[in-house]
Amino acid sequence: MSEVKPDITFYTAKSSFPAFNGWKISILLEEIGCPYKVIALDLDQKEHKQDWFLKINPNGRIPVIIDHRNGDYPVFESGAILQYLAETYNKFIPNERNLRYDVIQWLMFQISGVGPMQGQAHAFVRYIPEKIDYAIHRYQNETRRLYEVLNNRLKLTGAYIAGSN
């Protein structure tokens, strides 16, 4: 019996430091249900900075996907990957323009606000040896504020941030 060729090759992280951006891609890939292969790059060994990977993603970061159904097309940056997968598989993003932009707005909110602020909060609280009170308070307070925005939105919409489905 032959092995099913994956639609997607998904490059993510294997490291001593948590790399959360790959997690959201793996969740969406599971929800979509497309066949995919995971390649975990050893960030501690700088695999993501090797020439072969920089040809796929010039920024040398994870996550990255390669879409084999689209001529081995590479997509990098977590928000771009999420939108690409949703549009490619026609799941989790409506076709009607206003509903579609409800989803896109909240995706941008996550990638430009929640992700970076939460990442900085974790870095200054857990990983940076020197405790810098200003940075800790600034990023924790901004993360809390962003969570309040999300909670207020959920009070209006119910179970989903960008609508009813």
Side-chain angles (χ1 to χ4, degrees):
M1 182 162 64
S2 66
E3 188 176 316
V4 175
K5 182 178 179 187
D7 291 356
I8 301 289
T9 297
F10 168 43
Y11 293 91
T12 190
K14 169 177 62 176
S15 71
S16 59
F17 185 86
F20 300 110
N21 281 330
W23 296 5
K24 53 190 148 192
I25 307 307
S26 62
I27 292 167
L28 185 58
L29 285 166
E30 286 294 318
E31 289 292 326
I32 286 173
C34 73
Y36 67 97
K37 173 184 173 183
V38 176
I39 297 177
L41 301 177
D42 190 333
L43 303 189
D44 296 329
Q45 297 298 314
K46 307 271 189 239
E47 282 187 289
H48 60 301
K49 299 299 183 185
Q50 293 177 4
D51 288 342
W52 71 268
F53 189 74
L54 292 172
K55 289 177 184 170
I56 299 169
N57 180 358
N59 194 30
R61 312 286 263 189
I62 62 94
V64 172
I65 64 166
I66 305 293
D67 185 349
H68 302 295
R69 294 183 341 165
N70 186 17
D72 293 337
Y73 184 71
V75 183
F76 59 89
E77 292 297 325
S78 59
I81 295 168
L82 292 169
Q83 188 169 347
Y84 179 87
L85 289 171
E87 290 176 353
T88 299
Y89 290 90
N90 200 29
K91 293 190 176 188
F92 303 106
I93 191 160
N95 290 322
E96 194 276 312
R97 183 172 36 183
N98 290 355
L99 297 175
R100 180 180 200 79
Y101 276 91
D102 283 346
V103 171
I104 292 170
Q105 289 176 119
W106 288 103
L107 173 60
M108 298 303 146
F109 176 82
Q110 193 286 321
I111 39 185
S112 66
V114 174
M117 293 301 110
Q118 190 172 341
Q120 293 299 321
H122 283 291
F124 280 104
V125 170
R126 294 182 182 212
Y127 303 111
I128 296 174
E130 178 187 352
K131 296 302 174 199
I132 304 169
D133 287 336
Y134 171 80
I136 291 169
H137 290 110
R138 185 214 183 309
Y139 291 115
Q140 283 183 331
N141 288 339
E142 182 61 6
T143 298
R144 185 175 299 108
R145 185 191 74 75
L146 294 167
Y147 287 163
E148 288 170 5
V149 171
L150 291 169
N151 282 333
N152 288 335
R153 177 65 177 176
L154 287 169
K155 287 176 188 173
L156 294 173
T157 60
Y160 301 99
I161 293 166
S164 61
N165 56 15

